Amino acid sequence: MIDEVFLLGELRQGNKAAFSLLFKRYYRDLVLFGGTFLADKDTCEDIVQQVFLKVWEDREALVIKTSLKSYLLKSVQNACLDEIKHKNVVREHEEYVQYSHLQEYMDTENYILYSDLQRHLKEALEKIPPQYRESFEMNRFKGLKYREIAEKLNVSQRTVEERIGKAIELLRKYLKDFLYIFL
């Protein structure tokens, strides 16, 4: 069995075979480890793949003070905890949206405000960069998950998350005056 120090050296040199060997050696165990935090195997696989992608991207500057396996386990653990936090935020938002829909009633005033909001939102969406808008619209209007968007756009899931986050940030900025009316 080839030792980790040698494989890390080869990895830093950009040796794809060394990366492939590391991936094959640790992938299954890391997915199983991710399963101790998350019940969704697909999400665990995505997280492990993202960890390995980051290792490859950062290979030249990678500093590992423990063993590679410890480093990978800690990376998977942190990513799983981040995913749990993200899911909690999404769940809270969904609960809020469901609750707010129960409170709504469609009278003339609400219809006018809704129409104004739609118009302002459309104008604000036209102001943001196309790649942010596209990811945002695919998620919010078409109901696609981040992973599905990443596949369609041929980018990483993290890129999709960043684009949607930036889109929301810009929309808040562009719609702040309009949203101020409601407060």
Side-chain angles (χ1 to χ4, degrees), residues 7-15 18-19 22 55-56 59 62:
L7 285 174
L8 278 172
E10 290 295 305
L11 180 67
R12 284 190 183 96
Q13 301 285 328
N15 185 330
F19 177 77
L22 289 172
V55 166
W56 178 255
R59 68 188 175 276
L62 196 62

Side-chain angles (χ1 to χ4, degrees), residues 34-46:
T36 62
F37 297 94
L38 303 168
D40 182 14
K41 182 182 178 209
D42 289 340
T43 303
C44 292
E45 288 177 345
D46 287 347

Side-chain angles (χ1 to χ4, degrees), residues 128 132 136 162-172:
I128 66 175
Y132 295 171
F136 178 86
E162 289 174 4
R163 287 179 180 179
I164 291 173
K166 289 285 189 186
I168 291 170
E169 182 181 316
L170 290 169
L171 288 173
R172 280 188 185 129

Side-chain angles (χ1 to χ4, degrees), residues 108-160:
T108 306
E109 184 175 314
N110 282 343
Y111 178 76
I112 292 169
L113 287 173
Y114 179 77
S115 297
D116 275 350
L117 176 60
Q118 288 295 97
R119 184 173 48 78
H120 284 287
L121 178 59
K122 185 177 179 184
E123 291 171 3
L125 282 170
E126 290 173 5
K127 293 179 183 178
I128 66 175
Q131 68 270 28
Y132 295 171
R133 180 176 59 244
E134 182 180 34
S135 296
F136 178 86
E137 288 176 346
M138 290 173 85
N139 177 252
R140 301 302 162 100
F141 300 151
K142 294 181 181 176
L144 296 178
K145 296 182 178 177
Y146 288 2
R147 184 178 64 219
E148 295 169 318
I149 297 168
E151 289 172 4
K152 285 184 183 282
L153 299 179
N154 199 25
V155 297
S156 73
Q157 187 172 334
R158 183 68 184 147
T159 298
V160 172

